[in-house]
Amino acid sequence: MASLYKMPISNLSGIGSKRAELFKKLGVTSVGELLNFYPRTYEDCSTVEKIDKLQYGGVNCIKAILGTPVSDSRISGGRLVSKASAYDDTGSIEIVFFNNKYISSMLKGGKEYYFYGRVTSGSFGPQMISPTFSPVSDGVKIHPVYRQTAGLVSRTISNAVKQALNLLPKNVNDPLPEQVRSIFDLCGLKQALNDIHFPKNREALNAARKRLVTEELVVLNLGMRNIRELSRTQSGIKISKSYSGEFENLLPFNLTNAQKRAINECINDITEKTSSMNRLVQGDVGSGKTAVAASVCYTVIKNGFQAAFMAPTEILANQHFQTFKDLLQNTDIKVALLTGSLKESEKKRIRQELADGQIDLVIGTHALITDKTEFKNLGIAVTDEQHRFGVAQRAKLLCKGENPHLLVMSATPIPRTLGLIIFGDLDISVIDELPPSRKPVKTVLMSSANRRRIYDFIKREIKSGRQAYIVCPLVEEGELDNIASAEEYAAELMLKEFADIPVGIVHGKMKACEKEDVMAKFEAGEYSILVATTVIEVGVDVPNSTVIVIENAERFGLSQLHQLRGRVGRGEYQSYCVLVSDSRNPNTVSRLEILCKTNDGFIIADEDLKMRGPGDFFGERQHGLPQMAIADFADTKSLELSQKIADYILFVYKDIRCDELRLLKAEIERLFERGGQNNLN
Ligand code: ADP
Ligand code: MG
């Protein structure tokens, strides 16, 4: 099998350089990759419909005899039309193809076929246009349907796959050792490959799928463990004394018990253990994760090392910078901000000071992990809103020091099974308590017909000194007519509804400095209302805000809405979240109602994952995991099974580099080559 990954796909008959280019578009360049290009779905003819029962518009499979040979004719524009009539014991149907000169030689009069396609109304009754078909005598009822690209249709791919399967040696070496397969009831690779493409029946398909999904997740599991092991070696950072008590005196509030516990766990990691800290602090929005990170950084800095704090957006980095600067103003700690939008000369100066060791604490965005940034003695790296950074980016930040400690913070509760894969045995501190005097945000779902009431409510809150957010999902004008555009909408609000109230706008197309300017004014209370797109999503902290109105709420994911809602309810005042949606789709409504019922981020994340799958849940590829060929991260059962198998494999074979796991190791390398790096040597 391994040699098939080296065999170019153009070795197959019927695939010249032109077709090979098209296959490349689908990510397939070798015969091996073609075998791993699994069907998108299947046309299942195990249940056939009688012709007299067909409904127009439905997609069906029929079993019918071709009554006449195919007749070709030309219509205007020179297009070729091939027509034939087929019948079963209840009626007849017209089969039509366009511009396919091979059809007449492929379909034979008098022979029985399965036809699969959409039924439309033709001039003489039911019609199927360009159905897929196969002779009943083949005995094959389930047909693969592949992802196609312009000029390369599923049938061509399927023919190529057939050839590729024939090239498999009689005994395919299996990456999963036989012992593992027999214990966990997994079929062999060769059978799995045959059956995933051309299953004889549903059972065979399910067995093939189980085997391939499991293998892929096992490979992912082992690969992730390996990455983590690399960062788990001895730490060069010796922290001898805790300064968390001293830090607490700098804070304007008392830490909650949950915050204290998290801080102690971190301090324990960095002072007592020989390997570097690898800890996730998970706490719902507003639970006070920043103070925890700040305390740990303080201790590390007081022990003579530098600290880096990476945030996913400039707004957030800026805000953290302000917080830290205020907090540390009467100390000898030097804090700096490093973001992409700084002037080049400014960046250069800060980088120089980091390399010299003049700066103790740097807050920044991705600018922190570019090659140009060097530290004198980085002792700890903190990443805020961890789920937005990929595994590779995290690793890059760690490379900036000699195995510095790592603290990742996240408000997005990652479902446990997926968390185990992403973080493995990363230690977790949970902040399960909100600062005192916080009241849960009250959430309501309203249609836009209630806008009058909503505006009046905002005005009342502003009158009593509070502030409000209004969130619209888009800045582009006219994407869809009914979608509010932030700027247009804000302009209207400013001029009409809130003419005597100061309104600020932030949106994704503004320059970073412009956004910061508006945010700073909102924070300072110069604006009472902030109209925003999702840029306010993560982390923004203005405790005086008590209302957030989210327009077109149906366009956001649940976790995203929960994050947005977390912008209010951060102070002592009762806060409100108004979800505005005119959607009547019952699924959408019940989705949004979940938010009205609970403030628990874990419940919401779970629901979100169930409904949308982790791709959307984390945003496009935000979980930082490699692209899967067949496995689905929402499939908890398979995730759990693969975890178990990975444990078993490491238990039995001890080391992934051993000879029995040679092929599995090659699979790990292949998977991570596609979406990240994993060096096993
Ligand atoms: P998140 O966990 O969402 O990052 P933050 O760290 O931004 O939350 O904290 C939210 C707000 O709560 C901030 O204004 C912060 O100053 C405040 N805060 C944090 N801890 C406490 C506490 N123990 N008591 C009172 N307020 C706190
Ligand atoms: Mg935060």
Side-chain angles (χ1 to χ4, degrees):
M1 173 96 195
S3 62
L4 294 183
Y5 290 111
K6 296 199 188 86
M7 184 189 286
I9 187 157
S10 50
N11 274 26
L12 300 176
S13 78
I15 300 183
S17 58
K18 223 169 141 193
R19 276 216 171 125
E21 271 309 304
L22 296 174
F23 270 103
K24 197 171 167 194
K25 277 196 191 160
L26 296 171
V28 175
T29 56
S30 68
V31 173
E33 281 168 343
L34 179 63
L35 289 172
N36 295 143
F37 187 73
Y38 304 124
R40 179 172 63 78
T41 178
Y42 299 83
E43 289 171 357
D44 190 349
C45 294
S46 9
T47 45
V48 291
E49 194 62 271
K50 290 290 179 194
I51 290 177
D52 68 345
K53 291 274 176 342
L54 291 174
Q55 304 236 341
Y56 291 136
V59 174
N60 285 102
C61 180
I62 56 167
K63 188 178 171 188
I65 298 167
L66 211 63
T68 53
V70 176
S71 77
D72 287 343
S73 59
R74 296 266 167 196
I75 50 168
S76 59
R79 287 220 296 168
L80 176 71
V81 187
S82 314
K83 285 185 184 174
S85 142
Y87 63 88
D88 64 9
D89 51 6
T90 67
S92 69
I93 186 167
E94 192 177 34
I95 307 289
V96 185
F97 294 88
F98 291 102
N99 277 343
N100 188 337
K101 56 183 182 215
Y102 304 109
I103 285 294
S104 49
S105 60
M106 283 153 76
L107 283 174
K108 301 263 181 305
K111 209 168 160 181
E112 192 172 35
Y113 294 90
Y114 290 115
F115 293 99
Y116 186 101
R118 188 176 298 283
V119 181
T120 51
S121 148
S123 13
F124 308 103
Q127 198 178 43
M128 267 191 190
I129 295 176
S130 306
T132 52
F133 57 88
S134 66
V136 170
S137 55
D138 284 4
V140 183
K141 292 187 175 160
I142 303 179
H143 298 275
V145 179
Y146 295 92
R147 191 154 57 80
Q148 354 186 78
T149 183
L152 187 59
V153 297
S154 183
R155 184 173 279 267
T156 313
I157 299 172
S158 146
N159 286 336
V161 172
K162 263 187 205 142
Q163 287 185 58
L165 285 169
N166 285 331
L167 291 176
L168 281 173
K170 189 152 175 281
N171 292 311
V172 174
N173 291 327
D174 200 314
L176 290 179
E178 168 136 34
Q179 193 183 344
V180 174
R181 276 185 282 130
S182 89
I183 292 179
F184 294 96
D185 187 26
L186 300 167
C187 68
L189 179 59
K190 185 168 180 180
Q191 192 187 338
L193 287 174
N194 273 302
D195 289 351
I196 199 76
H197 290 288
F198 303 104
K200 285 172 275 307
N201 50 46
R202 278 276 148 190
E203 289 76 62
L205 175 58
N206 291 342
R209 176 180 291 282
K210 176 179 169 194
R211 143 77 209 217
L212 295 169
V213 166
T214 309
E215 177 188 321
E216 190 168 42
L217 290 174
V218 166
V219 165
L220 175 70
N221 244 298
L222 292 171
M224 293 299 290
R225 286 181 204 216
N226 188 63
I227 290 187
R228 288 191 305 269
E229 244 165 54
L230 290 178
S231 63
R232 279 238 160 194
T233 41
Q234 291 286 87
S235 173
I237 315 295
K238 292 275 165 287
I239 305 295
S240 43
K241 187 164 178 266
S242 166
Y243 288 82
S244 53
E246 189 176 306
F247 176 79
E248 224 181 313
N249 292 331
L250 300 173
L251 287 170
F253 47 73
N254 294 323
L255 290 168
T256 62
N257 286 330
Q259 284 171 312
K260 283 185 193 156
R261 193 167 3 101
I263 292 171
N264 285 339
E265 284 163 354
C266 295
I267 298 287
N268 191 52
D269 285 356
I270 61 177
T271 56
E272 304 290 325
K273 295 186 180 164
T274 50
S275 57
S276 41
M277 172 169 72
N278 208 12
R279 187 171 284 277
L280 167 70
V281 171
Q282 194 165 73
D284 212 345
V285 281
S287 60
K289 294 183 289 294
T290 317
V292 171
S295 173
V296 182
C297 287
Y298 188 82
T299 284
V300 172
I301 293 166
K302 282 288 181 178
N303 277 271
F305 295 93
Q306 291 171 297
F309 194 114
M310 185 156 81
T313 63
E314 297 227 350
I315 287 189
L316 207 50
N318 211 46
Q319 191 183 284
H320 283 320
F321 176 60
Q322 292 304 332
T323 310
F324 281 89
K325 226 172 52 180
D326 293 348
L327 212 56
L328 302 172
Q329 60 182 338
N330 296 323
T331 69
D332 53 0
I333 292 176
K334 185 159 181 209
V335 191
L337 176 72
L338 180 60
T339 58
S341 67
L342 291 183
K343 277 204 212 90
E344 229 19 78
S345 57
E346 187 78 344
K347 275 189 251 186
K348 211 170 148 195
R349 185 178 60 79
I350 290 172
R351 288 199 169 111
Q352 189 57 51
E353 291 182 6
L354 276 173
D356 293 347
Q358 289 176 54
I359 293 171
D360 303 300
L361 170 61
V362 65
I363 322 274
T365 50
H366 290 80
L368 287 180
I369 52 173
T370 60
D371 293 337
K372 285 191 209 141
T373 311
E374 281 171 32
F375 291 83
K376 180 156 182 252
N377 58 358
L378 182 63
I380 184 169
V382 179
T383 64
D384 196 9
E385 306 299 340
Q386 140 66 29
H387 64 285
R388 300 211 148 205
F389 295 106
V391 180
Q393 286 170 314
R394 228 187 324 151
K396 222 164 165 187
L397 188 55
L398 288 179
C399 288
K400 300 280 174 194
E402 281 175 41
N403 227 328
H405 298 293
L406 174 70
L407 186 57
V408 299
M409 301 194 292
S410 182
T412 309
I414 293 148
R416 199 188 59 88
T417 39
L418 197 55
L420 272 173
I421 290 194
I422 300 179
F423 303 118
D425 47 358
L426 182 102
D427 305 297
I428 300 184
S429 295
V430 178
I431 309 187
D432 51 5
E433 185 186 352
L434 293 180
S437 79
R438 290 283 170 79
K439 300 180 184 75
V441 178
K442 288 188 178 155
T443 304
V444 289
L445 175 60
M446 287 183 156
S447 70
S448 56
N450 290 302
R451 215 176 278 288
R452 178 79 267 133
R453 274 174 66 198
I454 300 171
Y455 290 157
D456 288 345
F457 181 71
I458 293 178
K459 283 181 190 160
R460 273 207 302 281
E461 286 291 301
I462 288 173
K463 213 172 227 158
S464 50
R466 306 284 79 78
Q467 287 163 281
Y469 296 99
I470 299 177
V471 181
C472 329
L474 286 175
V475 285
E476 289 87 356
E477 274 167 43
E479 192 218 3
L480 284 173
D481 289 345
N482 61 339
I483 304 296
S485 126
E487 261 178 292
E488 228 171 64
Y489 184 48
E492 204 182 301
L493 289 179
M494 274 194 250
L495 290 174
K496 294 183 192 155
E497 197 55 46
F498 301 115
D500 48 353
I501 294 173
V503 180
I505 317 175
V506 276
H507 60 74
K509 282 191 180 161
M510 282 163 87
K511 286 206 196 82
C513 57
E514 293 169 340
K515 281 189 221 169
E516 270 148 32
D517 193 46
V518 176
M519 286 309 301
K521 283 188 173 147
F522 184 68
E523 265 186 85
E526 286 175 42
Y527 291 130
S528 296
I529 298 179
L530 186 70
V531 179
T533 61
T534 44
V535 285
I536 64 155
E537 180 185 343
V538 268
V540 169
D541 184 36
V542 182
N544 189 44
S545 325
T546 54
V547 191
I548 183 161
V549 176
I550 304 172
E551 301 276 350
N552 301 111
E554 74 282 352
R555 301 199 107 210
F556 295 90
L558 280 189
S559 291
Q560 217 178 359
L561 288 169
H562 181 62
Q563 285 273 337
L564 282 168
R565 174 167 66 178
R567 298 315 109 215
V568 299
R570 299 175 82 84
E572 65 205 90
Y573 313 106
Q574 175 62 55
S575 295
Y576 306 87
C577 170
V578 185
L579 305 172
V580 185
S581 176
D582 291 332
S583 170
R584 295 226 175 85
N585 180 327
N587 284 339
T588 308
V589 173
S590 66
R591 208 161 65 84
L592 295 175
E593 275 171 351
I594 291 171
L595 282 165
C596 303
K597 281 187 218 133
T598 182
N599 273 295
D600 185 329
F602 276 89
I603 297 179
I604 291 163
D606 254 12
E607 290 293 333
D608 208 13
L609 192 65
K610 261 188 233 151
M611 291 188 216
R612 310 197 308 152
D616 303 325
F617 175 75
F618 288 109
E620 185 63 21
R621 302 267 295 115
Q622 275 181 351
H623 45 66
L625 292 172
Q627 188 87 46
M628 297 285 104
I630 189 168
D632 173 0
F633 293 133
D635 176 0
T636 319
K637 250 170 106 180
S638 302
L639 283 170
E640 276 166 5
L641 177 64
S642 70
Q643 183 81 13
K644 224 189 268 171
I645 298 177
D647 286 341
Y648 176 83
I649 288 176
L650 289 178
F651 176 73
V652 172
Y653 300 94
K654 307 287 182 297
D655 191 347
I656 186 79
R657 292 160 200 81
C658 74
D659 194 52
E660 290 98 322
L661 300 179
R662 194 177 76 252
L663 295 170
L664 201 56
K665 178 174 160 262
E667 289 301 315
I668 296 175
E669 276 159 2
R670 273 195 332 108
L671 178 67
F672 282 81
E673 242 166 57
R674 295 209 302 254
Q677 72 274 68
N678 190 339
N679 188 356
L680 280 171
N681 298 307

